[in-house]
Amino acid sequence: MNLVLLLSTFSLFIGVLSEEGLNPAIVNVGAIFSFNTINGKVAKVAMKAAEDDINSDPSVLGGRKLSIQLHDSNFSSFLGILGALQFMETDTVAIIGPQSSEMAHVLSNLANELQVPLLSFTALDPSLSPLQYPFFVQTAPNDEFQMTAIAEMVSYFSWSEVIAIFSDDDQSRNGIITLGDKLADRRCRISYKAALPPDPSAKRGDVLRELDKIQMMESRIIVLHSFSRTGLLVFEVAKSLGMMGKGYVWIASTSLSTVLDSFSPLKPEIANSIQGALTLRPHTPDSKRKRDFMSRWNQLSNGSIGFNPYGLYAYDTVWMIARAVRLLLDQGGKISFSNDTRLGGISGSTLNLSALNAFDGGKQLLSKILETNMTGLTGHVQFNQDRSLINPSYDIINAVGNGQRLVGYWSNHTGLSIVPPETLYSEKPNRSSSNQHLDKVVWPGGETARPRGWVFPNNGRELRIGIPRRVSYRDFVLLVNGTDKVQGYCIDVFLAAIKLLPYAFPYRFIPFGDGHKNPSYYELVNKIKSGVFDGVVGDIAIVTNRTRIVDFTLPYIESGLVVVAPVKKISSSPWSFARPFTPLMWAVTAAFFLIVGSVVWILEHRRNDEFRGSPKQQFVTILCYTASLTSFLTVQQLSSPIKGIDTLIGSNERIGFQVGSFTEGYLMEELNIPKSRLVPLGSPEEYALALERRNVAAVIDERPYVDLFLSEHCEFSVRGQEFTKSGWGFAFPRDSPLAIDMSTAILSLSENGELQKIHDRWLSKSACSSENSEDDIEQLDLKSFWGLFVICGIACMLALLVYFWLMFRKFSRLPPEELDTTSPSTSRSTRLQTFLSFVDEKVEKPKSSSKRKRESMSRIGYHINDESPHRSGRMDRNMSQNGDSWLTQ
């Protein structure tokens, strides 16, 4: 019995020793930072506070103690690597840091090999992929979200271009690359990237050289992404160059907010250099725990450094590791390390690589860290599937006076808002532009109105505006001989538009072309791309190959290619009405009218009420033919073998085009018309001569030119419809904000009617243009129809004569006693009325002879009663005397 008890006690003792060896009483965590930086100082204070709070509560680690060992890398990646290697020799379960992303790229490879989790809240390079570096975890929102916030601010204020200034290190460089992508998603771009030496190597001369270049550029929106030391140097130099004044916009990344938070109130020289700048600060929801921690800060730091949000992330990162270790141990995991046999086999080196130990439970601890779901000082802490923190958000800060002013928030949930993001998480995401809001900003120079965001390049020098030196159609652009004066339709539109711009527009016109022929408009536009011109004004068609190299304004006049050809006008004659139908068609139609009409008349007229309508009903029938005939006859009577572009494509005829225009290329490339068929023409006079002499079958040109040409040449006409749709606009460099502002001005000119007035002043020269389009309508007069009227009149008279002859013949055969025509008192008017009644008589179904006579006498009596009482009495006596004979018939 005693032996059994002894053996049991010994086994328990061995188990306790084994448990103590696998799960040590002290959990070692390393931290690598540059502790003489703002975030390094803040992190040191916060991590020490977290260590003390954890160790003061035995339940956190089950009675174990947490030990955070600090290593100062002092901006050196080499020293950072040495510190990491030292930690690996001392059985460290996790490392907090490093502070910079370039060091994180190196140390992450070491962490992968030795399976030690590496957690950083300052190395926030978006390119640190969890697929490449599975043991590296970012415990603060990475710079992808910060760059998204900046891009949405740029879009919110309707700017299109920014200049990026950044330190040439991994984190800043990759952040700016991400910014470019986010801006492109919003149809914005980075126009220039100014790279400075990595922090803290940048010198004043480096900054001065870049800012001198930027001063001469167009954009005034500057995004600064660097660490705080370089950032403050940039603002200092910018202030000395006058680049913190009116018209400039500065948006700095979170490094500036750390200065505003940790050194409040600011020194006067720092405050003056950053007035009006915007910056971002990681947003952390308000809570009692956060307020309690901030109230302890001065005591914790001994006044060495002011508080900023990265202290909260440092505190939560330590707690994240402690909770993960406890969870690992509670679930049966062990804290044990083993030598890497690959390192022990390396010979020929004095380095003691065999002392580096791999963490056996590293994968399990990493898994527990990524499963974190806690409420920390930064709010709710949890990772998404892509290992980024949920609900990334930022405060948007405006540097004003000696401090800062909150103007809004950005969150990945709803974008820009003026209410804290956590109040919106319960609602559905709404990223619509109407739901984006910020408070008013005090910009550099003390302005509160939104800056335009750009100026004319080279400090406001005159813009070089190219114009075509035309030799034809000079109503559009005309350079007055012997002077610098330029006028014309296009020039007047341009001058009217720049008057509506909300800023001065210094410019000078520079003619392009030799003056002997119209210049190539593609070459003219290409001069913008090559930097010869800052813009081009004139009759510039907006076509595809030009839009690839420049930006156009909205069209100020519609245009499109049309076909012009000689036409012969068909004169009107008395027989114009016969042209809609061929003779055979007329004959067949007439025959069928006669046949059908005869049959219907014979069968129905005397018996069918439907064919005994009123004159109004019959008049409707007459109008049917009249309306149909009119629709055929109201087209212009112009004749030409050219019906439109399809006629030309299907023939071998030669085609004229205007020298210098895009027409030649379009006909060859789009319609596959051989160049041998195309004839260049330089002026309206050459157009007319070539058409008259049949050197070309037709001329193809843009509609505005054609309208002017036809106003003086009535013997030609547009054939068919426009077969392209485009317009004329002013050209500017790609992504130039001038194109947008000028488009707005042109739209205003159109709305207020000024554009039409300019058009009428220069282009309304319609001497005969109303006769030159096959779409016009000819006003046919009486002489075109008198032949039709004569035929209709003769036909009607013949029909009436035949009809009344037949009716009179029948009337005359009636017995005299029925009509009382033998009475001497019967007047001619009475007999006429009796005849008309007979003609209008409807043939009823067969009746008895006596009934028919009685009805006839009744009608006669009715008419007589209308004449006089005397005649009526006489008719009554006659009816009384003859009554018996009527009844017996």
Side-chain angles (χ1 to χ4, degrees):
M1 187 68 176
N2 291 335
L3 180 61
V4 174
L5 180 61
L6 180 61
L7 290 174
S8 300
T9 303
F10 180 74
S11 299
L12 180 62
F13 177 74
I14 294 299
V16 170
L17 289 179
S18 300
E19 183 74 15
E20 184 70 18
L22 292 176
N23 297 317
I26 297 177
V27 177
N28 293 320
V29 174
I32 302 174
F33 282 86
S34 296
F35 289 115
N36 62 340
T37 63
I38 295 175
N39 285 342
K41 294 177 181 178
V42 169
K44 182 177 181 179
V45 174
M47 289 187 293
K48 176 61 176 175
E51 178 185 14
D52 292 342
D53 291 346
I54 290 170
N55 289 334
S56 64
D57 185 356
S59 65
V60 176
L61 286 175
R64 299 170 184 82
K65 296 294 184 179
L66 178 69
S67 175
I68 299 180
Q69 304 172 36
L70 305 179
H71 178 81
D72 190 351
S73 61
N74 196 25
F75 295 101
S76 170
S77 296
F78 176 71
L79 293 179
I81 294 172
L82 292 181
L85 293 175
Q86 291 174 359
F87 290 147
M88 300 305 177
E89 292 180 353
T90 58
D91 297 344
T92 300
V93 299
I95 297 175
I96 302 174
Q99 188 168 344
S100 65
S101 293
E102 59 270 19
M103 194 182 303
H105 281 277
V106 176
L107 297 186
S108 292
N109 290 297
L110 181 61
N112 289 347
E113 291 297 324
L114 300 180
Q115 299 188 0
V116 175
L118 191 64
L119 292 80
S120 179
F121 49 87
T122 54
L124 304 175
D125 181 357
S127 69
L128 285 165
S129 166
L131 297 177
Q132 184 179 4
Y133 306 114
F135 279 83
F136 179 75
V137 180
Q138 293 172 327
T139 58
N142 74 33
D143 282 350
E144 177 182 359
F145 302 107
Q146 183 176 196
M147 296 303 127
T148 302
I150 293 175
E152 292 198 7
M153 290 167 62
V154 171
S155 177
Y156 172 79
F157 289 112
S158 300
W159 299 314
S160 59
E161 289 188 5
V162 304
I163 292 173
I165 303 176
F166 62 97
S167 297
D168 197 11
D169 55 59
D170 287 350
Q171 180 160 331
S172 299
R173 187 188 316 111
N174 292 329
I176 293 300
I177 291 173
T178 302
L179 175 62
D181 294 338
K182 301 301 181 182
L183 287 172
D185 292 342
R186 293 155 180 82
R187 301 180 65 84
C188 306
R189 73 184 188 105
I190 299 175
S191 60
Y192 180 72
K193 297 178 181 179
L196 300 174
D199 199 42
S201 303
K203 301 296 188 290
R204 185 181 180 87
D206 302 321
V207 176
L208 186 61
R209 278 192 296 273
E210 290 298 334
L211 292 186
D212 279 338
K213 296 177 187 177
I214 292 171
Q215 263 194 314
M216 306 301 290
M217 295 177 183
E218 188 174 80
S219 177
R220 286 294 182 261
I221 312 301
I222 302 174
V223 175
L224 175 61
H225 188 37
S226 68
F227 289 106
S228 57
R229 185 173 300 181
T230 299
L232 290 177
L233 178 60
V234 170
F235 280 114
E236 178 188 338
V237 176
K239 176 69 175 178
S240 67
L241 294 176
M243 296 177 67
M244 294 303 297
K246 180 180 178 181
Y248 281 92
V249 173
W250 288 81
I251 303 176
S253 57
T254 54
S255 62
L256 180 60
S257 69
T258 63
V259 174
L260 292 172
D261 288 332
S262 294
F263 295 108
S264 182
L266 297 174
K267 295 180 180 179
E269 58 271 20
I270 296 178
N272 291 335
S273 67
I274 63 174
Q275 287 297 300
L278 291 176
T279 184
L280 300 178
R281 175 174 62 202
H283 175 73
T284 55
D286 185 37
S287 66
K288 185 178 184 305
R289 289 187 61 200
K290 174 183 172 180
R291 292 193 298 271
D292 291 344
F293 181 77
M294 292 173 64
S295 67
R296 296 166 51 200
W297 184 259
N298 286 334
Q299 179 183 355
L300 294 172
S301 64
N302 293 321
S304 61
I305 187 69
F307 171 82
N308 72 55
Y310 287 101
L312 304 178
Y313 285 103
Y315 186 91
D316 282 355
T317 299
V318 175
W319 273 90
M320 197 181 302
I321 295 172
R323 287 172 177 269
V325 169
R326 177 59 187 269
L327 192 60
L328 172 69
L329 297 176
D330 288 348
Q331 294 180 358
K334 306 297 182 183
I335 298 178
S336 63
F337 298 83
S338 59
N339 292 329
D340 191 330
T341 56
R342 293 174 299 173
L343 298 177
I346 298 177
S347 59
S349 173
T350 58
L351 296 175
N352 187 20
L353 297 178
S354 60
L356 300 178
N357 297 322
F359 182 19
D360 296 330
K363 289 184 178 180
Q364 291 84 353
L365 181 61
L366 175 65
S367 176
K368 302 306 177 187
I369 290 173
L370 296 177
E371 292 173 5
T372 297
N373 188 353
M374 71 178 193
T375 299
L377 299 184
T378 59
H380 186 61
V381 181
Q382 189 176 355
F383 292 95
N384 291 311
Q385 292 184 349
D386 62 358
R387 294 173 54 166
S388 64
L389 288 175
I390 64 170
N391 300 328
S393 56
Y394 294 89
D395 300 335
I396 300 175
I397 305 299
N398 188 194
V400 179
N402 289 328
Q404 55 185 277
R405 174 173 167 266
L406 181 67
V407 296
Y409 306 89
W410 177 90
S411 73
N412 199 39
H413 184 72
T414 55
L416 302 173
S417 68
I418 55 176
V419 297
E422 58 270 17
T423 63
L424 302 174
Y425 291 146
S426 60
E427 302 176 6
K428 291 183 178 180
N430 185 351
R431 305 298 291 271
S432 65
S433 58
S434 61
N435 198 51
Q436 306 300 295
H437 303 287
L438 289 176
D439 282 337
K440 287 186 177 180
V441 177
V442 178
W443 305 101
E447 294 290 316
T448 55
R450 180 190 70 88
R452 188 170 78 235
W454 64 275
V455 295
F456 298 112
N458 295 343
N459 277 332
R461 65 163 175 79
E462 288 184 334
L463 294 186
R464 300 158 299 177
I465 303 298
I467 59 171
R469 190 191 296 269
R470 294 198 59 89
V471 297
S472 64
Y473 294 115
R474 303 210 295 174
D475 295 275
F476 296 107
V477 179
L478 171 62
L479 181 63
V480 180
N481 291 332
T483 69
D484 295 331
K485 184 178 180 181
V486 181
Q487 61 187 29
Y489 168 70
C490 303
I491 302 300
D492 280 5
V493 172
F494 173 75
L495 296 178
I498 64 175
K499 290 179 180 178
L500 299 180
L501 298 179
Y503 45 83
F505 190 105
Y507 69 92
R508 60 187 175 96
F509 290 126
I510 303 176
F512 176 78
D514 58 13
H516 301 294
K517 65 179 185 300
N518 292 333
S520 166
Y521 277 45
Y522 181 80
E523 293 180 7
L524 173 59
V525 170
N526 199 50
K527 293 296 183 181
I528 297 177
K529 181 180 179 182
S530 61
V532 175
F533 295 141
D534 300 309
V536 168
V537 169
D539 45 337
I540 314 297
I542 303 172
V543 293
T544 303
N545 65 341
R546 297 172 187 172
T547 59
R548 295 191 181 105
I549 57 177
V550 297
D551 278 353
F552 281 94
T553 63
L554 288 175
Y556 57 86
I557 187 173
E558 293 184 355
S559 178
L561 293 178
V562 293
V563 177
V564 179
V567 293
K568 178 185 293 185
K569 185 175 180 181
I570 303 174
S571 59
S572 297
S573 71
W575 306 102
S576 297
F577 70 90
R579 292 193 187 117
F581 297 142
T582 63
L584 178 61
M585 184 63 182
W586 276 112
V588 172
T589 302
F592 270 89
F593 269 124
L594 292 174
I595 294 171
V596 174
S598 299
V599 171
V600 173
W601 179 269
I602 293 171
L603 297 178
E604 299 292 339
H605 178 70
R606 300 291 301 277
R607 292 178 171 85
N608 193 335
D609 289 336
E610 298 295 329
F611 289 84
R612 297 176 58 82
S614 65
K616 181 179 178 181
Q617 292 172 321
Q618 298 301 318
F619 185 67
V620 173
T621 304
I622 297 172
L623 288 179
C624 293
Y625 174 74
T626 304
S628 300
L629 184 63
T630 302
S631 66
F632 282 110
L633 294 178
T634 54
V635 296
Q636 174 69 292
Q637 303 297 312
L638 298 176
S639 175
S640 172
I642 306 298
K643 303 302 181 184
I645 186 62
D646 293 334
T647 305
L648 294 175
I649 293 175
S651 70
N652 292 318
E653 300 283 356
R654 288 158 64 84
I655 304 170
F657 68 92
Q658 184 182 169
V659 173
S661 74
F662 73 95
T663 308
E664 179 184 18
Y666 179 85
L667 296 177
M668 293 171 57
E669 297 171 9
E670 301 297 331
L671 302 183
N672 298 318
I673 296 177
K675 187 174 183 179
S676 58
R677 291 179 54 195
L678 303 180
V679 179
L681 302 171
S683 67
E685 293 73 23
E686 291 186 23
Y687 286 16
L689 195 61
L691 290 169
E692 290 170 354
R693 294 179 177 179
R694 299 295 190 266
N695 293 336
V696 295
V699 171
I700 294 179
D701 207 348
E702 296 177 74
R703 189 75 194 222
Y705 301 123
V706 169
D707 288 342
L708 279 183
F709 173 71
L710 294 181
S711 68
E712 299 177 357
H713 297 84
C714 306
E715 65 273 25
F716 309 111
S717 170
V718 172
R719 309 303 296 165
Q721 303 296 320
E722 290 185 9
F723 56 92
T724 66
K725 292 291 185 182
S726 61
W728 292 353
F730 305 135
F732 295 98
R734 293 297 299 270
D735 301 312
S736 170
L738 262 178
I740 298 174
D741 290 352
M742 287 293 285
S743 294
T744 303
I746 290 171
L747 194 60
S748 298
L749 290 176
S750 177
E751 291 174 348
N752 63 25
E754 184 63 25
L755 198 60
Q756 185 61 44
K757 293 178 182 178
I758 298 173
H759 178 278
D760 295 342
R761 185 163 62 245
W762 285 98
L763 305 181
S764 294
K765 300 179 180 180
S766 54
C768 58
S769 60
S770 62
E771 302 177 7
N772 289 68
S773 173
E774 65 178 0
D775 296 328
D776 292 336
I777 295 179
E778 181 182 11
Q779 298 296 321
L780 298 176
D781 54 18
L782 183 61
K783 67 181 181 181
S784 299
F785 285 96
W786 71 261
L788 177 62
F789 294 149
V790 169
I791 291 177
C792 290
I794 293 173
C796 291
M797 291 299 296
L798 288 174
L800 288 173
L801 287 174
V802 171
Y803 179 73
F804 282 113
W805 178 75
L806 292 174
M807 292 297 99
F808 182 77
R809 184 180 177 186
K810 292 181 180 180
F811 181 78
S812 63
R813 291 179 180 179
L814 291 175
E817 60 272 16
E818 293 186 17
L819 303 175
D820 193 20
T821 57
T822 59
S823 174
S825 62
T826 303
S827 65
R828 291 182 180 180
S829 61
T830 303
R831 296 187 65 186
L832 178 61
Q833 290 180 5
T834 304
F835 173 72
L836 293 177
S837 298
F838 172 77
V839 171
D840 192 50
E841 183 181 61
K842 177 183 177 183
V843 177
E844 303 290 351
K845 293 180 181 180
K847 301 178 181 178
S848 64
S849 178
S850 61
K851 185 176 182 180
R852 186 167 59 250
K853 287 185 177 182
R854 188 164 55 248
E855 291 176 352
S856 178
M857 291 304 296
S858 297
R859 286 194 297 273
I860 294 172
Y862 171 77
H863 289 293
I864 293 174
N865 287 334
D866 288 342
E867 294 291 331
S868 67
H870 173 72
R871 185 172 294 147
S872 176
R874 185 181 62 199
M875 194 64 183
D876 290 342
R877 291 192 299 272
N878 291 339
M879 290 181 66
S880 177
Q881 294 171 358
N882 299 327
D884 294 338
S885 62
W886 281 93
L887 293 173
T888 58
Q889 287 182 354

